[in-house]
């Protein structure tokens, strides 16, 4: 039987073969750029995530380089060479460009650190690639390939950690997280993206230093959280955020769910239920990861802790938790600086996630279907997925019944959409027609009449013109 050393050797050789194949693919562009730096008296190396992904056989068209050239010198070298150049990150030593379909970033050797009160890192430039690699977040991101000679640089054992699928820091995790506390969230994000384990000493440091995340800007925290949630294994990263105490500072509503009981399934806590709903929603994605759907799935029950009530019959209830949860969702997402559109969409889905159950088990009326579609608006497809994902019962008969019931609703919606154009529900008379029929000009009364006709449309479906006019006049007669 092969021993542990032979297994490690086999893993390393596989990793190295993948890297050679990936690096050969990008060599024409990378080597050309490296020669230009060499001719100007500077060095250039592929670095960080690009090397890691090459070793994993998943290198894309985003290439990261590091150099001893200062940003002004970098600009002089790449401007005549690149198809386009941007300087957005130049204050942090990074110059970006595009060349033959590759998105390239060239960053001057640097080190950066936070003080106790700063929300932005202080950047200072270095003179050696070893110094640059030592300040990187994890050993698997602290490898480089010097170009054009293709010399592999790995002073911190990143290759072995990559083969073992483990996240460690080049120095002590305490020093690394003190330099940039966001690295604690990056540990959770990489665990979720790469399905790696986080070394025990790194987890310990995360627990001890979790409160340091408070000095990092909300925008940087949000961006890491998004990458984690959009990753292939978000449960793994979210669990690490909760277990380390980081979630208490960046998404406290999530760990608050751990001790709550679900009103229908008392053997499950709401925290585990929410993670399962997230995974089930992912299974329904068609066009790749959907941030709005995943956020709604994760947050749909965050209103339960605030609405928990112990009933006289021994049951636990969470009445109106969807309404409370929508408000909590909006507040948290505003704090994390999400865009208004994302906040609106996620909050709306949280608010509506129980609507299907609210109609009971009886036959839906056409009016109920119309209102469901109207209230969901452009989020209807996501609401379908969220509602289906929210069933985590182990009772197969109940799960089948819920699935069939919702399938019936989707069929009814499809039928009515074909008959009535539900996606554009509006009254049978427009504002100009209302003014003409009532003999009045623009004003609040037109809005009231429009709302009346819209309710009539939702309740009864499309009306013929004469019937709509008669109904409007009858309503007008009651308005004095």
């Amino acid at each position: 039987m092969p021993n542990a050393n032979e297994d490690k050797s086999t893993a390393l050789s596989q990793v190295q073969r993948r890297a050679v194949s990936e690096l050969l693919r990008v060599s024409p562009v990378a080597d050309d750029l490296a020669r230009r730096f060499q001719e100007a008296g500077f060095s250039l190396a592929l670095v960080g995530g690009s090397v890691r992904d090459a070793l994993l056989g998943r290198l894309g068209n985003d290439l990261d380089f590091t150099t001893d050239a200062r940003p002004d010198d970098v600009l002089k070298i790449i401007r005549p060479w690149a198809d386009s150049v941007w300087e957005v990150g130049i204050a942090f030593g990074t110059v970006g460009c595009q060349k033959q379909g590759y998105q390239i970033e060239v960053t001057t050797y640097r080190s950066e650190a936070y003080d106790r009160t700063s929300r932005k890192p202080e950047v200072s430039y270095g003179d050696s690639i070893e110094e640059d690699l030592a300040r990187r977040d994890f050993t698997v991101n602290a490898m480089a390939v010097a170009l054009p000679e293709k010399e592999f640089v790995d002073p911190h054992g990143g290759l072995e950690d990559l083969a073992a699928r483990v996240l460690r820091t080049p120095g002590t995790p305490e020093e690394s997280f003190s330099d940039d506390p966001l690295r604690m969230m990056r540990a959770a994000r990489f665990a979720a993206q790469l399905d790696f384990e986080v070394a025990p000493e790194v987890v310990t440091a995360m627990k001890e230093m979790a409160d340091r995340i408070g000095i990092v800007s909300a925008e940087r925290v949000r961006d890491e959280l998004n990458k984690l949630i959009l990753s292939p294994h978000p449960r793994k990263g979210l669990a690490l955020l909760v277990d380390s105490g980081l979630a208490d500072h960046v998404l406290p509503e999530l760990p608050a769910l751990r001790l709550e009981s679900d009103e229908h399934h008392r053997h499950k806590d709401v925290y585990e239920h929410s993670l399962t709903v997230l995974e089930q929603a992912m299974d329904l994605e068609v066009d790749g990861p959907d941030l709005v759907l995943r956020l709604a799935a994760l947050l749909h029950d965050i209103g339960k802790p605030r609405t928990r009530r112990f009933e006289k019959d021994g049951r636990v209830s969470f009445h109106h938790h969807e309404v409370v949860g929508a408000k909590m969702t909006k507040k948290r997402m505003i704090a994390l600086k999400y865009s208004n559109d994302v906040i609106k969409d996620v909050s709306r889905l949280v608010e509506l996630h129980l609507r299907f159950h609210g109609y009971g088990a009886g036959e839906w009326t056409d009016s109920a279907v119309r209102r469901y579609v109207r209230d969901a608006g452009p989020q209807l497809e996501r609401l379908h997925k969220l509602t289906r994902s929210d069933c985590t019962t182990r009772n197969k008969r109940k799960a089948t019944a819920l699935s069939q019931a919702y399938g019936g609703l989707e069929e009814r919606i499809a039928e009515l959409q074909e008959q009535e154009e539900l996606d554009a529900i509006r009254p049978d008379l427009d504002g100009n027609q209302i003014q003409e029929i009532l003999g009045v000009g623009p004003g609040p009364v037109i809005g009231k009449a429009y709302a009346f006709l819209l309710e009539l449309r939702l309740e009864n479906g499309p009306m013929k013109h004469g019937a709509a006019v008669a109904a409007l006049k009858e309503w007008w007669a009651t308005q004095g």
Side-chain angles (χ1 to χ4, degrees):
M1 291 181 63
N3 59 36
N5 288 333
E6 289 175 340
D7 288 342
K8 182 183 292 186
S9 176
T10 300
L12 285 174
S13 63
Q14 290 174 343
V15 163
Q16 290 163 326
R17 281 198 298 272
R18 286 196 296 263
V20 170
S21 174
E22 292 288 87
L23 292 174
L24 284 174
R25 179 174 64 83
V26 303
S27 279
V29 169
D31 289 350
D32 186 19
L33 183 59
R35 280 191 291 270
R36 291 172 180 270
F37 273 79
Q38 199 173 52
E39 290 167 2
F42 300 109
S43 60
L44 187 74
L46 195 69
V47 73
S50 292
V51 176
R52 179 200 70 221
D53 288 345
L55 292 166
L56 291 173
R58 43 174 277 174
L59 180 62
N61 288 340
D62 293 343
L63 304 178
D64 295 327
F65 296 90
T66 188
T67 180
D68 56 347
R70 296 303 190 251
D72 288 344
D73 294 316
V74 173
L75 281 172
K76 291 177 184 176
I77 295 170
I78 69 170
R79 271 198 174 123
W81 174 80
D83 299 330
S84 60
V85 177
W86 53 91
E87 304 177 28
V88 174
I90 199 166
F92 296 97
T94 298
V95 175
C97 69
Q98 182 171 340
K99 179 71 173 182
Q100 297 177 12
Y102 290 97
Q103 301 290 321
I104 293 169
E105 287 191 348
V106 181
T107 302
T108 302
Y109 298 156
R110 67 186 187 188
S111 61
E112 58 188 40
Y114 283 83
D115 62 32
R116 280 283 167 184
T117 58
S118 173
R119 284 181 173 268
K120 293 184 178 180
E122 297 178 1
V123 176
S124 58
Y125 298 129
D127 297 310
S128 72
I129 192 168
E130 289 78 15
E131 181 184 4
D132 181 84
L133 295 177
R135 66 95 191 165
R136 303 242 164 197
D137 51 7
F138 302 105
T139 60
V140 297
N141 295 330
M143 298 178 285
V145 177
L147 299 172
E149 60 272 19
K150 295 186 176 58
E151 177 188 346
F152 187 57
V153 185
D154 180 22
H156 304 287
L159 186 60
E160 286 197 9
D161 285 343
L162 192 76
R165 305 180 68 82
V166 65
L167 290 172
R168 302 183 192 277
T169 53
T172 69
E174 290 79 9
E175 289 174 338
S176 181
F177 297 156
S178 180
D179 285 347
D180 185 355
L182 189 69
R183 290 173 176 173
M184 294 184 286
M185 289 203 64
R186 286 168 65 84
R189 189 251 287 189
F190 283 126
Q193 279 187 337
L194 305 174
D195 196 19
F196 278 21
E197 299 302 319
V198 180
E201 69 273 14
V202 176
V203 175
T204 297
M206 292 169 68
K207 292 178 178 179
E208 293 174 349
M209 302 178 67
D211 62 335
R212 285 277 285 153
I213 198 68
I215 70 166
V216 180
S217 69
E219 290 87 351
R220 294 184 76 209
V221 169
R222 175 206 62 212
D223 290 346
E224 284 299 324
L225 186 61
N226 284 351
K227 291 173 184 177
L228 188 163
I229 290 172
L230 291 171
S231 71
H233 309 280
R235 176 190 281 266
K236 192 167 192 173
L238 291 166
L240 181 55
L241 289 184
V242 171
D243 294 342
S244 67
L246 275 170
D248 292 332
H249 301 278
V250 301
L251 194 63
E253 296 80 5
L254 186 59
L257 297 175
R258 281 182 296 181
L259 301 180
E260 305 305 325
S261 298
D262 185 282
E263 68 221 78
H264 301 300
H265 313 291
R266 296 182 187 177
H267 58 278
K268 300 176 183 175
D269 64 47
V270 182
Y271 168 68
E272 287 294 332
H273 164 77
S274 298
L275 295 180
T276 300
V277 172
L278 168 59
E279 290 178 321
Q280 292 184 168
M282 291 167 57
D283 290 338
L284 298 178
E285 292 172 334
V286 177
D287 299 317
D290 183 339
L291 180 63
V292 169
L293 176 63
R294 293 192 184 191
L295 283 169
L298 180 64
L299 302 175
H300 75 285
D301 273 349
I302 63 171
K304 283 190 170 181
R306 291 192 185 178
T307 57
R308 182 173 62 164
R309 297 291 182 271
F310 296 98
E311 306 295 348
K312 292 180 180 179
D313 61 2
R315 291 187 309 110
V316 179
S317 67
F318 304 93
H319 296 308
H320 306 300
H321 75 267
E322 72 280 12
V323 177
V324 173
K327 293 177 180 178
M328 292 172 64
T329 296
K330 182 177 180 181
K331 183 177 180 181
R332 176 54 52 196
M333 294 184 71
I334 289 174
L336 288 171
K337 303 297 179 69
Y338 278 91
S339 70
N340 290 336
D341 286 344
V342 173
I343 293 172
K344 180 183 69 175
D345 292 344
V346 175
S347 300
R348 189 61 169 157
L349 287 168
V350 171
E351 182 181 1
L352 294 176
H353 83 271
L354 280 187
R355 182 66 63 86
F356 166 68
H357 303 284
Y359 285 105
E363 181 68 20
W364 280 43
T365 63
D366 286 350
S367 173
V369 175
R370 293 186 195 101
R371 292 177 193 280
Y372 190 81
V373 173
R374 189 271 309 267
D375 292 346
Q379 300 307 313
L380 182 62
E381 284 304 313
R382 285 188 173 121
L383 184 57
H384 286 333
K385 294 173 183 177
L386 178 59
T387 302
R388 287 189 174 278
S389 302
D390 196 21
C391 176
T392 60
T393 178
R394 295 175 184 173
N395 185 322
K396 291 185 178 180
R397 182 181 299 175
K398 186 173 184 179
T400 300
L402 283 170
S403 179
Q404 290 177 343
Y406 202 77
L409 169 60
E410 290 177 316
E411 290 177 7
R412 291 281 302 285
I413 290 173
E415 291 170 1
L416 284 174
Q417 280 177 325
E418 185 174 350
Q419 296 169 13
E420 304 180 11
E421 298 181 357
L422 287 189
D423 292 335
I425 288 182
R426 55 178 60 87
D428 295 284
L429 302 172
D430 62 27
N432 291 329
Q433 290 172 313
I434 292 171
Q435 290 182 53
E436 183 179 343
I437 292 166
L438 300 184
V440 297
V445 69
I446 303 303
K448 292 180 180 179
Y450 190 93
F452 163 74
L453 289 170
L454 180 57
E455 283 298 311
L456 211 59
R457 169 72 169 78
L458 289 167
E459 191 66 33
N460 301 321
M463 301 173 65
K464 292 184 177 179
H465 181 77
V469 170
L472 176 63
K473 289 181 176 178
E474 184 178 339
W475 170 83
W476 182 238
T478 67
Q479 300 304 301

